[in-house]
Amino acid sequence: MKTLLAALALLLAGCATTPEAPRPEDAFRFGGISMPASGKVLETRYDRGIDSRYVVVLTLPAEDVPKLLEASNFAPGVLNDDRLVEGRRVVRKVSVEGTTVRLELFTT
């Protein structure tokens, strides 16, 4: 009986581990985003169901937002697009409020 309880405790302990926090580098690779050196990531979230989705919030000097868009292959003046990245279609949405930039990257 003690062996059974010990095995059950180990199994439950393994289930209780928290998932790794998403890394911004993974989000950038997922969405084909090239981040300027002047940017600072504030938050990265990831969720997955049928599709995968990253949300990255960062600060970036206003003059570097066009550099981010150009380096990430957005068409001039476009903040939302979809692109084939590593064999999957990724929708990329960018919103800018002052120096805060929010990237939403998801598959369809």
Side-chain angles (χ1 to χ4, degrees), residues 19 22 30 45-55 88 105-107:
F30 175 85
R45 288 182 282 149
Y46 174 75
D47 57 67
R48 183 176 185 150
I50 294 173
D51 300 315
S52 297
R53 180 178 75 125
Y54 282 95
V55 175
R88 66 182 167 261
L105 315 161
F106 57 92
T107 56

Side-chain angles (χ1 to χ4, degrees), residues 28 35 39-42 56-60 99-103:
F28 297 149
M35 166 96 141
K40 179 182 177 194
V41 175
L42 302 175
V56 181
V57 179
L58 53 105
T59 60
L60 190 65
T99 60
T100 302
V101 178
R102 182 178 189 272
L103 304 170

Side-chain angles (χ1 to χ4, degrees), residues 15-85:
C15 292
T17 58
T18 57
E20 245 182 73
R23 297 178 332 145
E25 299 82 14
D26 295 335
F28 297 149
R29 186 173 35 260
F30 175 85
I33 300 297
S34 183
M35 166 96 141
S38 60
K40 179 182 177 194
V41 175
L42 302 175
E43 177 185 9
T44 304
R45 288 182 282 149
Y46 174 75
D47 57 67
R48 183 176 185 150
I50 294 173
D51 300 315
S52 297
R53 180 178 75 125
Y54 282 95
V55 175
V56 181
V57 179
L58 53 105
T59 60
L60 190 65
E63 62 272 10
D64 287 349
V65 172
K67 294 175 188 174
L68 172 115
L69 297 172
E70 183 180 339
S72 301
N73 296 311
F74 281 84
V78 173
L79 295 178
N80 300 318
D81 73 2
D82 63 285
R83 180 162 300 280
L84 199 58
V85 180

